[in-house]
């Protein structure tokens, strides 16, 4: 894969959970790292929840391998941010186990991570 395929600058974020003085949990996101990526839409599906139509779009996000992406369980707890768009990571594949390219399955549209 040539460098020209990775045109988008994205941020990977991790979830931070804190408990306030009242015992309430609050969730925030912090940047783990930034990298270049290729984002491809794969499919669209509409969901009917509480009599409102919501759209969910599936994407494939391709990035160069990084050590932070070695553990699929850790990656699945992250999210990807591209501009104002937020992608929820569903899974990650280390293509051919060669530590060169990682393909990430993600959804966009229903929530912010």
């Amino acid at each position: 894969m040539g460098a020209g395929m990775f045109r988008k600058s994205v941020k990977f974020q991790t979830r931070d959970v804190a408990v306030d003085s009242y015992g309430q949990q609050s969730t925030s996101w912090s940047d783990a790292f930034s990298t270049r990526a290729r984002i491809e839409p794969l499919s669209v599906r509409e969901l009917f929840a509480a009599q409102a139509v919501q759209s969910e779009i599936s994407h494939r996000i391709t990035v160069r391998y990084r050590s932070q992406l070695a553990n699929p369980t850790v990656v699945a707890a992250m999210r990807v941010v591209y501009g104002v768009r937020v992608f929820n990571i569903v899974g990650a594949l280390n293509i051919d186990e060669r530590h060169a390219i990682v393909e990430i399955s993600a959804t966009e549209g229903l929530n912010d991570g």
Side-chain angles (χ1 to χ4, degrees):
M1 257 190 205
M5 296 188 76
F6 301 106
R7 296 185 196 153
K8 314 270 193 265
S9 180
V10 298
K11 291 182 209 169
F12 281 74
Q13 294 183 331
T14 57
R15 183 188 316 253
D16 299 321
V17 178
V19 178
D20 65 15
S21 59
Y22 298 106
Q24 300 293 318
Q25 283 189 346
S26 64
T27 301
S28 62
W29 292 90
S30 60
D31 294 346
F33 60 92
S34 296
T35 191
R36 307 291 294 174
R38 177 181 182 185
I39 301 173
E40 303 170 81
L42 299 177
S43 67
V44 176
R45 121 183 133 138
E46 290 185 351
L47 304 173
F48 296 94
Q51 297 181 338
V53 178
Q54 296 179 328
S55 293
E56 178 183 64
I57 305 170
S58 296
H59 288 78
R60 177 176 39 228
I61 301 171
T62 307
V63 297
R64 294 193 189 278
Y65 179 84
R66 296 176 64 112
S67 61
Q68 296 96 325
L69 301 174
N71 186 340
T73 307
V74 172
V75 176
M78 294 179 171
R79 72 179 187 179
V80 175
V81 177
Y82 171 61
V84 297
R85 298 171 65 189
V86 177
F87 298 93
N88 299 314
I89 296 176
V90 177
L93 295 171
N94 181 357
I95 302 300
D96 295 330
E97 296 294 324
R98 295 183 64 206
H99 303 312
I101 300 294
V102 177
E103 283 188 359
I104 296 166
S105 298
T107 59
E108 175 188 31
L110 292 180
N111 59 32
D112 66 348

